């Protein structure tokens, strides 16, 4: 049975509202305080639809181009073990907490945290702000995928070889100094400037692609989950089909096994590095989509008795296995690429040696007496044979002859856009029927991005429609307007320096605010509402009680882990000035630059704007509470303050009283709720003072 509300909660209710019990959360305050019925809320057509939506949101581009990079840079198999450890003790409990809160209260992020603790209502608004930030730049990546997919329908692929400069009838210098794929990405796709200070004009092709991306999102979400869920059947499943196809094809490539060996070889010493723990925790955090409000929004459309604990374990497991699958694909491709580069290096060096021999120099190094070096057929010389020869004679050859190491190529970590739009495009150009593989790959990226984008937008739209009746009545207009606003602000990313702003938003706009949001979410559930009470409510939903270990994970482990992650991220920002990678057109190479002062101010502003709703919500609640108390004190004067008393009633009476209730005022919106679900057959309701005076026995039990 639900415990009685504490005295301070009852006093808060006396200040903020009259005549309404807040002991059950199945009938919740809907838009603008109006009670909503579950029957009016959209619902998933099937469990598989819901699971695909959650998996589609949590499995995104980061699984393909961020997790493999972290694995590659931080000890391979050792990093995976560390990731699984943090996933189990931090990721799954927090994911389960959000699923349970959304499913029980059946509201978006704003309504959920307002329900649990009105003082922390700002958590939901911060989640919406972060979702908006992410939606702005995430759709730009979808636009890039559309551009590359559109350019894949030609043979040879446009990034397969360098273009010719018509004025000099020679290869374009910028392309010759880098590579065809790098040139196509930086010059043809982005037409990028040399730094973030050089803004440049808008890129018309990318602007059109961005408009198309927002149009797709708008059309898919125009009818809410009813329309987006149908798209999910394809957008969530198709990437897995493509990943398996690429894995099978990749395993046939020369160098694939070298790549997989490099990936899984454990380097246990990395466990002593604090930065590796920070990166693993951050990846767990973002992989599951914690703090966005999208997990809460999706689970709010579930039946109340859905087994959300099983969902948390299942979705987390699928997410991790997807990351492993994507890593296998990435490493077999990178292994093939590294071996090709190393073999090309061997051939070029042997060509130089042959040239030097023909001029009479260094004949003793490559003569017929040296085993393994066949100058007549350089392709027959293996990398190992060349490296052995080089280790003995490197001091005797000139600086033009270099070492050719496969490991050295594999050590060059590639992540993000560099992996997708440079490294992968380079490999696919080597495949037979390259346009087919290129189209397949970028169609996969497009679907990965869209499924995550749908969840991100749901994290914005659902809370707004749940809490503002006007917006809830105009769902279509709200969806279209949000997408139009996203496109207009997104023009920032389609100017020639737009890629640098995408990097800025990706690195800084979401990380700190999301960690702050999840810290307050955990405090709200574990310390304000209470873990025992929360587990009681989950027991009613699931018909069984989750293990008690969740109580200690929520109260201590998760909270301390999030605070530690916040501290580590802040210290890193303070002691290591934020930098970005720029493309220099003159040298045809990438270089690391520090953000200018105005860009640093923009980063700080983004973080502050996203985090501000939490303290503002707390201050707003405190001031409103204080004003209501002052008003009641003035009205009462020296007379005894009107008291509101609780008495027990049956569940039938409770439902009857709720059905005849008046619409609460705005002030009543912020009531602290004392339980998520009705428990047993006993509830509490407020009685008028006169009725209580007629029942002296009840007064002894229920006086505040």
């Amino acid at each position: 049975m639900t415990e009685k509300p504490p005295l301070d909660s009852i006093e808060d209710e006396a200040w903020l509202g009259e005549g309404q019990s807040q002991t059950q959360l199945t009938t919740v305050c809907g838009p603008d305080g109006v009670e909503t019925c579950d029957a009016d809320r959209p619902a998933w057509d099937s469990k598989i639809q819901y699971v695909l939506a959650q998996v589609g949101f949590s499995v995104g581009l980061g699984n393909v181009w961020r997790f493999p990079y972290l694995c590659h840079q931080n000890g391979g198999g050792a990093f995976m073990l560390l990731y699984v450890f943090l996933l189990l003790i931090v990721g799954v409990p927090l994911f389960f907490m959000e699923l349970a809160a959304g499913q029980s209260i059946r509201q978006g992020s704003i309504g959920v945290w307002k329900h649990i603790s009105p003082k922390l209502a700002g958590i939901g608004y911060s989640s919406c702000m972060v979702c908006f930030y992410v939606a702005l730049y995430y759709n730009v990546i979808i636009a890039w995928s559309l551009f590359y997919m559109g350019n894949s329908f030609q043979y040879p692929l446009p990034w397969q070889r360098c273009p010719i400069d018509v004025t000099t009838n020679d290869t374009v210098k910028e392309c010759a100094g880098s590579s065809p794929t790098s040139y196509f990405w930086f010059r043809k796709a982005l037409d990028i400037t040399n730094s973030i200070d050089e803004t440049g004009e808008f890129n018309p092709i990318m602007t059109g692609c961005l408009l198309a991306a927002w149009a797709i999102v708008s059309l898919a979400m125009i009818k809410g989950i009813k329309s987006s869920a149908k798209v999910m059947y394809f957008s969530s499943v198709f990437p897995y089909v493509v990943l398996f196809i690429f894995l099978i094809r990749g395993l046939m490539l020369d160098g694939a096994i070298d790549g997989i060996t490099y990936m899984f070889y454990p380097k246990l010493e990395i466990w002593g590095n604090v930065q590796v723990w920070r990166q693993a925790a951050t990846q767990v955090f973002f992989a599951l989509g914690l703090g966005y409000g999208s997990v809460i929004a999706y689970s709010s459309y579930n039946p109340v008795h859905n087994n959300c604990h099983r969902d948390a374990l299942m979705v987390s497991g699928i997410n991790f296995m997807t990351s492993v699958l994507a890593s296998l694909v990435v490493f077999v491709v990178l292994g093939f690429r590294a071996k090709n580069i190393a073999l090309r290096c061997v051939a070029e060096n042997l060509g130089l040696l042959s040239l030097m021999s023909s001029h009479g120099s260094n004949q003793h190094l490559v003569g017929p007496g040296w085993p393994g070096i066949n100058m007549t057929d350089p392709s027959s010389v293996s990398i190992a044979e060349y490296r052995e020869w080089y280790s003995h004679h490197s001091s005797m050859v000139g600086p033009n002859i270099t070492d050719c190491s496969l490991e050295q190529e594999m050590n060059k970590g590639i992540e993000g856009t560099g992996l997708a739009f440079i490294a992968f495009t380079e490999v696919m150009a080597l495949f037979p029927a390259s346009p087919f593989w290129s189209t397949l790959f970028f169609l996969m990226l497009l679907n990965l991005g869209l499924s995550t984008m749908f969840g991100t937008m749901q994290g914005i739209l659902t809370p707004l429609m749940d809490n503002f009746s006007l917006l809830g009545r105009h769902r279509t207009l709200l969806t279209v307007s949000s997408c139009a606003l996203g496109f207009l602000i997104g023009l920032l990313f389609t100017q020639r320096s737009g890629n640098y702003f995408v990097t800025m938003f990706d690195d800084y706009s979401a990380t700190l605010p999301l960690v702050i949001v999840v810290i307050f979410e955990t405090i709200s559930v574990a310390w304000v509402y209470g873990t025992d009470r929360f587990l009681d409510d989950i027991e009613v939903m699931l018909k069984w009680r989750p293990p008690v270990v969740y109580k200690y994970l929520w109260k201590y482990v998760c909270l301390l882990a999030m605070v530690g992650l916040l501290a580590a991220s802040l210290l890193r920002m303070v002691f290591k000035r934020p930098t970005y990678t720029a493309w220099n057109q003159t040298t045809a190479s990438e270089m690391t630059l520090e953000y200018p002062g105005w860009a640093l101010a923009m980063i700080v502003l983004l973080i502050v704007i996203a985090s501000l709703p939490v303290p503002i919500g707390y201050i707003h609640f405190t001031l409103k509470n204080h004003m209501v108390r002052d008003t009641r004190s003035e009205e009462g004067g020296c007379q005894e303050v009107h008291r509101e008393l609780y008495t027990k009633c049956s569940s039938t009476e409770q439902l009857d009283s709720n059905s005849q209730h008046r619409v609460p005022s705005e002030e009543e919106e912020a009531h602290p709720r004392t339980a998520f679900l009705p428990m047993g057959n006993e509830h509490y309701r407020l009685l008028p003072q006169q009725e209580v005076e007629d029942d002296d026995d009840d007064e002894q039990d229920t006086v505040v």
Side-chain angles (χ1 to χ4, degrees), residues 2 25 104 529-530 532-542 545 674-679:
T2 306
L25 296 187
S104 59
Y529 185 76
D532 288 325
R533 190 186 293 178
F534 189 55
L535 288 171
D536 288 341
D537 298 329
I538 295 174
E539 184 178 4
V540 173
M541 284 199 302
L542 303 184
R545 192 175 185 84
T674 57
F676 277 8
L677 294 167
M679 312 192 65

Side-chain angles (χ1 to χ4, degrees), residues 27-38:
T27 305
V28 295
C29 284
D32 299 340
V34 180
E35 289 183 358
T36 59
C37 177
D38 286 349

Side-chain angles (χ1 to χ4, degrees), residues 53-60 62-63 83-84 86-99 280-296 298 311-321 323 452 455 514 518 562:
Q54 286 285 22
V55 169
F57 168 67
S58 65
V59 175
N63 296 74
Y83 180 87
V84 171
L86 291 175
L87 180 69
L88 290 175
I89 68 164
V90 178
V92 172
L94 291 175
F95 192 61
F96 176 41
M97 182 184 77
E98 290 198 357
L99 287 178
T282 304
Q283 182 60 22
V284 167
F285 188 79
F286 284 105
L288 294 177
L290 300 172
Y292 286 90
S294 305
V295 172
I296 293 173
Y298 276 157
D311 294 343
L313 295 174
M314 179 170 57
V315 173
S316 301
I318 293 173
N319 189 296
F320 172 68
M321 294 310 296
S323 296
T452 302
L514 275 183
V518 175
M562 289 295 101

Side-chain angles (χ1 to χ4, degrees), residues 59-192:
V59 175
L61 296 171
N63 296 74
V64 175
W65 67 32
R66 181 66 179 163
F67 183 86
Y69 169 78
L70 292 174
C71 232
H72 172 267
Q73 293 293 96
N74 297 314
F79 179 82
M80 280 195 180
L81 292 174
L82 179 60
Y83 180 87
V84 171
F85 172 71
L86 291 175
L87 180 69
L88 290 175
I89 68 164
V90 178
V92 172
L94 291 175
F95 192 61
F96 176 41
M97 182 184 77
E98 290 198 357
L99 287 178
Q103 182 174 303
S104 59
I105 301 176
R106 299 178 68 74
Q107 289 272 289
S109 57
I110 296 174
V112 161
W113 303 115
K114 184 187 290 185
H115 230 86
I116 293 175
S117 174
K119 295 177 181 178
L120 298 176
I123 294 174
Y125 291 97
S126 282
S127 293
C128 286
M129 281 302 304
V130 174
C131 277
F132 189 63
Y133 285 165
V134 173
L136 287 177
Y137 76 83
Y138 215 86
N139 231 18
V140 178
I141 301 173
I142 294 175
W144 293 341
S145 301
L146 282 172
F147 174 78
Y148 266 81
M149 191 173 71
N151 279 278
S152 297
F153 295 101
Q154 50 185 304
Y155 185 82
L157 292 170
W159 53 81
Q160 196 160 339
R161 57 175 63 99
C162 286
I164 302 298
D165 189 340
V166 291
T167 56
T168 62
N169 201 27
D170 199 3
T171 303
V172 174
K173 185 180 178 182
E174 186 180 1
C175 184
S178 53
S179 69
T181 51
S182 296
Y183 174 79
F184 187 86
W185 167 242
F186 288 113
R187 189 55 50 216
K188 293 296 183 182
L190 301 179
D191 193 20
I192 201 165

Side-chain angles (χ1 to χ4, degrees), residues 202-221:
F202 287 111
N203 185 330
I205 297 176
M206 279 304 168
T207 303
C209 290
L210 182 64
L211 179 61
W214 277 111
I216 293 171
V217 172
S218 179
L219 290 172
M221 301 202 61

Side-chain angles (χ1 to χ4, degrees), residues 10 59 90 175 284 293 333 380 410 550 553 657 684:
I10 300 174
V59 175
V90 178
C175 184
V284 167
V333 169
S380 65
M410 288 296 297
Y550 281 109
L553 289 175
S657 66
Y684 294 86

Side-chain angles (χ1 to χ4, degrees), residues 60 72 98 115 143 273 275 331 346 366 530 550 577 596 629 671:
H72 172 267
E98 290 198 357
H115 230 86
N273 189 333
Q275 285 303 315
F331 275 90
V346 170
V366 293
Y550 281 109
R577 185 182 172 101
R629 290 182 64 183
H671 291 183

